[in-house]
Amino acid sequence: MPIIVNLDVVLAQRKMRLNELAEAVDITPPNLSILKTGKAKAIRFSTLEAICETLECQPGEILEFRPATAKKKIAALS
Amino acid sequence: MNERNKNESFSIKLMKNIQNKANIIRVSKIIRSFLFAGLILWIVGIPAVLFPAAVSLWGRLGVTSGSRYLQCGLPLLMVFCLIVNLKLFRFFDRLKNGHLFDSQTVKNLDDAGRWWVALWFFEILFYAIGHKVFQMTNAPDFGGGLFAGLTLIFVAWLLKEAQELQQEQELTV
């Protein structure tokens, strides 16, 4: 997927564990794990807001778009 | 106040969903019971038709070619009916256990539809040969099986779409 989730990087920088973040943003750890491992298909703005507020970061620090992956996919499709 | 209203409407929606699911499970239980009775009937009926046919064929007891054809073909027709019944039974069994938009549930319904279409096709062939070659005069209704089978296949297709939507919903954080 072209959108990469860097939640584990930000968590490591803030020295916070996944369970602590889950409790803080009121999401179950399994659900947050889905996001962390890149299996999520979509993220609600409310969830993103809660995560950014707790980790004191910008959405851009958590979500990254990798053009090279997207280009490869387009090349593979054509 | 806004937050409280949001929470209340969410709880009402959740309760409605749970109620709907409970109703689906209740109705599935009833239909499953009928299909189970049908399964028993076919399982008992097939040998009940097969055995006398085998006896009369073996003893060649004044059997015409037409009745021989019928005696051989009917058990085959009944086997097709048994398979359709079994697939529908499995479908409603999974619904009864709460697996609404499961890939296996959808597959059971799709299989039931395909076997029903196969049954219709076999019926057409069987009675066409019987009419042409053995001058059989039975004229069963041919339209119902095809329509029912295709409807089941279409509904299975819709359920598959619903299953994909549910998967996407589950993977929305």
Side-chain angles (χ1 to χ4, degrees):
Chain A
M1 212 169 167
I3 302 288
I4 310 296
V5 179
N6 294 320
L7 188 61
D8 46 353
V9 172
V10 181
L11 278 173
Q13 286 170 355
R14 305 290 187 270
K15 291 186 177 64
M16 194 186 266
R17 286 187 305 174
L18 194 73
N19 288 339
E20 290 167 11
L21 177 63
E23 206 177 311
V25 302
D26 196 23
I27 291 175
T28 60
N31 261 359
L32 209 51
S33 178
I34 286 171
L35 180 65
K36 188 186 138 201
T37 53
K39 287 179 187 159
K41 295 255 185 216
I43 180 169
R44 294 185 187 91
F45 279 138
S46 55
T47 305
L48 190 57
E49 184 189 325
I51 290 173
C52 289
E53 202 175 325
T54 307
L55 296 177
E56 292 174 0
C57 66
Q58 290 293 315
E61 293 179 64
I62 298 171
L63 303 172
E64 183 192 338
F65 174 65
R66 292 228 180 119
T69 321
K71 273 185 190 165
K72 268 187 200 167
K73 224 178 180 176
I74 292 163
L77 283 169
S78 56
Chain B
M1 191 68 175
N2 230 350
E3 197 69 37
R4 195 176 155 195
N5 286 342
K6 272 189 199 166
N7 286 339
E8 272 175 10
S9 75
F10 177 75
S11 304
I12 290 167
K13 263 189 197 164
L14 193 64
M15 276 175 65
K16 258 191 183 167
N17 281 343
I18 293 169
Q19 186 65 34
N20 284 341
K21 199 170 178 180
N23 288 338
I24 289 171
I25 290 171
R26 201 177 302 129
V27 172
S28 299
K29 265 188 198 160
I30 296 167
I31 298 173
R32 180 192 173 274
S33 311
F34 280 114
L35 288 167
F36 184 71
L39 272 180
I40 302 290
L41 277 171
W42 290 119
I43 289 169
V44 168
I46 291 170
V49 166
L50 209 54
F51 185 68
V55 165
S56 68
L57 283 171
W58 185 263
R60 293 168 202 249
L61 303 166
V63 173
T64 61
S65 56
S67 56
R68 201 176 296 162
Y69 176 75
L70 205 63
Q71 280 169 343
C72 292
L74 267 177
L76 270 173
L77 265 175
M78 290 170 80
V79 165
F80 271 96
C81 294
L82 169 70
I83 293 172
V84 171
N85 195 327
L86 180 66
K87 294 290 178 188
L88 283 174
F89 171 79
R90 280 190 184 160
F91 169 70
F92 283 103
D93 189 52
R94 286 196 72 85
L95 283 186
K96 180 210 101 184
N97 292 330
H99 305 295
L100 261 59
F101 300 119
D102 202 51
S103 58
Q104 190 58 45
T105 309
V106 171
K107 189 179 178 301
N108 285 333
L109 188 66
D110 191 53
D111 286 348
R114 288 174 197 279
W115 275 104
W116 208 328
V117 171
L119 168 64
W120 167 82
F121 185 70
F122 183 76
E123 266 181 340
I124 295 263
L125 214 62
F126 178 72
Y127 285 107
I129 293 172
H131 185 68
K132 266 260 168 344
V133 178
F134 301 104
Q135 282 82 48
M136 270 168 55
T137 50
N138 318 47
D141 170 32
F142 287 128
L146 178 66
F147 180 72
L150 290 176
T151 303
L152 287 186
I153 292 170
F154 183 73
V155 172
W157 183 26
L158 286 177
L159 281 184
K160 192 162 185 272
E161 290 299 312
Q163 183 209 335
E164 280 168 16
L165 277 171
Q166 188 190 42
Q167 242 173 17
E168 200 170 298
Q169 180 65 27
E170 279 168 2
L171 292 175
T172 296
V173 180

